[in-house]
Amino acid sequence: LSRATTQPADSGVAEAFPSLTKLVSEGKYNQGDWFIQNLKAPVAKITPLISTDEYSQIIDARVLETLAYHDFDTQEYRPMLATSWQVSPDGLTFTFQLRHGVVFSDGSPFTADDVVLSYELTMNPATDCPAYRQQFDHVSSCTKTNDYEVVFKMKEPFYQTFENVGASFFILSKAFYSKYTIDQINNSVGLLIG
């Protein structure tokens, strides 16, 4: 995914990658740089959700993004595809406001529909992703409230809910993945775009 526009500093929207922004301003990083990593074994599949080996998951994590991420420097969650979020006092409702101006590599815009599709594909019992699906055992629904807001409802409070729905939940492009049946996704070895 990429940002089509840069948010002004006074826009009130949290910057997703402050460390990267600093490197760019210092001339130490240029957009389009390559990342090369040797893997010690062949990769069986790089289709999100159904990729099960460690190396395919490394590749997925380099291409796909989440609503937030865990900043290891500050030990806090920071916005990525979301700009902000609220958690209800009872811990049963997580509301995410989504970043505007983000597009997938195929040029389709990122909206709440992509978050909902990602959740629905994950929760569909026909999708061959039982290990990935289990992180949503405590989630009862994911709904779109408008093009740039989604709400996750929980069945019960759970200490790891934010990590599961915010920071380790890969968002897939509805424009791309909705063209395929569940069977095609399950049997694909490389349906990966970010």
Side-chain angles (χ1 to χ4, degrees):
L1 296 171
S2 63
R3 298 215 16 221
T5 60
T6 303
Q7 298 283 344
D10 62 353
S11 69
V13 175
E15 177 61 44
F17 304 101
S19 300
L20 180 60
T21 302
K22 181 176 183 270
L23 289 174
V24 170
S25 71
E26 295 170 352
K28 296 179 180 175
Y29 177 88
N30 293 317
Q31 188 172 358
D33 281 356
W34 288 78
F35 177 80
I36 299 171
Q37 182 174 0
N38 282 329
L39 303 176
K40 297 177 183 175
V43 176
K45 293 183 177 188
I46 56 169
T47 299
L49 307 180
I50 64 167
S51 302
T52 56
D53 66 88
E54 179 181 0
Y55 298 119
S56 56
Q57 291 177 6
I58 289 170
I59 293 169
D60 285 352
R62 299 279 187 227
V63 175
L64 302 170
E65 293 182 354
T66 57
L67 298 175
Y69 72 97
H70 185 235
D71 184 329
F72 292 104
D73 292 332
T74 64
Q75 295 302 311
E76 296 176 352
Y77 288 105
R78 297 202 36 92
M80 187 176 278
L81 292 176
T83 57
S84 58
W85 52 81
Q86 298 78 44
V87 179
S88 65
D90 62 5
L92 296 176
T93 304
F94 289 69
T95 304
F96 290 87
Q97 290 72 41
L98 307 178
R99 194 171 298 280
H100 294 241
V102 178
V103 296
F104 288 93
S105 59
D106 66 352
S108 62
F110 163 67
T111 69
D113 292 325
D114 302 304
V115 179
V116 172
L117 171 94
S118 302
Y119 176 77
E120 289 173 349
L121 273 177
T122 301
M123 297 310 292
N124 186 330
T127 305
D128 189 18
C129 64
Y132 190 71
R133 184 180 305 115
Q134 62 81 30
Q135 78 183 36
F136 298 96
D137 283 348
H138 300 276
V139 181
S140 63
S141 67
C142 172
T143 56
K144 166 185 169 179
T145 56
N146 64 52
D147 283 346
Y148 292 98
E149 186 174 87
V150 292
V151 175
F152 290 89
K153 295 282 189 177
M154 305 304 124
K155 297 173 186 172
E156 59 192 0
F158 181 60
Y159 77 99
Q160 203 167 354
T161 297
F162 189 87
E163 176 69 27
N164 291 350
V165 301
S168 64
F169 176 40
F170 290 132
I171 306 304
L172 308 177
S173 165
K174 180 178 181 178
F176 181 78
Y177 289 97
S178 64
K179 296 185 281 189
Y180 299 96
T181 66
I182 297 294
D183 192 50
Q184 288 172 314
I185 291 171
N186 286 341
N187 293 301
S188 169
V189 296
L191 286 179
L192 178 62
I193 71 159

